[in-house]
Amino acid sequence: MLKLYCFPRSGNSREVKIVLAEKNIPFEPIDVHANKEVKESPEFKKASPKGTVPAIVDEDTYLSEAFLINQYLDEKYPSPRLMPKDASEREVIKQFVAKIDKSMVLNIGLLVIECILKSKEQQKENFKAKKRREVADAMKELDKQLEGKEYLFGDFSLADVAVTPHIAALPILGSGIPRELKNMTAWFGRIQARPSFGQSIL
Ligand SMILES: N[C@@H](CCC(=O)N[C@@H](CS)C(=O)NCC(=O)O)C(=O)O
């Protein structure tokens, strides 16, 4: 059975869990924080040379990085398809994910470190405000992109998966989707209504 190295509050791991749920792929979750020895194991190190989660072992395939894992899963288990058949359309989604990783996902990760992992005394309010502003700017762009669409690129795809778990973390970081962003609010409602969203909280 496919092994997923992860931990429960990891947004990047949740991206992979959503895809596993969408495709109904059985898997064994291995919590890397529950047991220190797991991170030192040769299998985990082979799957994730940088030591990050998510990472998978699927038969002979050892792989890390959420978006790379999800593209692999979409090719190996194509039902339902979560990337377009057309190579140019796939490329547009790959470039979108690279861009959103910098403008949004990275900033939300920095907010997690600042707001949750640091003590109150260590936290810098200016830094938090700056990161929240940058995330809000990225959300405005997404809202425009969603005009007239159900999902970011029409059909539900790995682009939606790459953003969703990080948006879901905003309320615990003193942020959220601004009310005036109606397209994004409706989109996130549709995402939450998909069974994979609930199933990906482990
Ligand atoms: N770009 C990577 C980022 C992976 C990442 O930063 N993962 C975090 C958890 S969300 C991690 O492994 N942190 C180290 C740790 O918590 O041990 C991806 O998309 O998978």
Side-chain angles (χ1 to χ4, degrees):
M1 192 190 300
L2 185 148
K3 287 184 193 172
L4 172 67
Y5 287 94
C6 54
F7 62 84
R9 291 187 75 172
S10 155
N12 294 104
S13 301
R14 194 170 177 191
E15 292 178 44
V16 175
K17 287 175 188 167
I18 290 173
V19 170
L20 291 167
E22 288 282 340
K23 292 175 178 289
N24 214 1
I25 303 169
F27 69 101
E28 177 194 352
I30 302 175
D31 185 338
V32 298
H33 284 175
N35 179 350
K36 274 189 179 164
E37 282 163 25
V38 173
K39 271 204 147 181
E40 296 307 318
S41 69
E43 185 178 73
F44 176 66
K45 285 184 170 175
K46 184 170 174 184
S48 181
K50 286 194 210 156
T52 57
V53 297
I56 59 161
V57 180
D58 183 31
E59 296 175 339
D60 293 338
T61 301
Y62 293 71
L63 196 58
S64 55
E65 293 289 326
F67 188 52
L68 293 183
I69 295 171
N70 282 344
Q71 289 177 86
Y72 161 81
L73 292 174
D74 199 48
E75 282 177 27
K76 179 155 179 196
Y77 307 94
S79 176
R81 280 190 79 92
L82 297 177
M83 283 291 259
K85 276 193 176 149
D86 180 78
S88 307
E89 289 177 26
R90 280 204 301 279
E91 200 50 44
V92 172
I93 292 187
K94 287 181 197 174
Q95 287 176 18
F96 166 85
V97 172
K99 194 170 156 218
I100 205 75
D101 263 349
K102 284 205 187 100
S103 63
M104 183 183 275
V105 177
L106 175 67
N107 284 328
I108 294 175
L110 291 171
L111 275 173
V112 170
I113 294 171
E114 196 68 22
C115 302
I116 297 182
L117 302 181
K118 286 190 180 175
S119 68
K120 273 261 177 277
E121 299 72 51
Q122 287 175 313
Q123 294 179 16
K124 294 194 180 72
E125 291 308 317
N126 283 352
F127 180 80
K128 286 197 266 184
K130 181 171 182 282
K131 291 295 143 197
R132 287 187 188 121
R133 271 198 309 275
E134 286 170 8
V135 171
D137 287 344
M139 284 198 277
K140 275 187 204 150
E141 289 298 312
L142 285 190
D143 192 71
K144 278 189 213 149
Q145 176 163 347
L146 281 161
E147 184 68 43
K149 294 195 197 108
E150 280 211 18
Y151 294 103
L152 287 165
F153 288 87
D155 294 331
F156 180 75
S157 75
L158 294 190
D160 302 282
V161 175
V163 184
T164 307
H166 310 286
I167 297 288
L170 288 179
I172 57 163
L173 303 171
S175 184
I177 303 175
R179 276 191 189 183
E180 64 271 22
L181 300 187
K182 300 255 186 295
N183 298 326
M184 250 201 104
T185 305
W187 163 81
F188 196 57
R190 284 191 281 277
I191 296 279
Q192 285 173 305
R194 298 180 78 89
S196 62
F197 187 79
Q199 287 163 15
S200 65
I201 308 173
L202 286 181

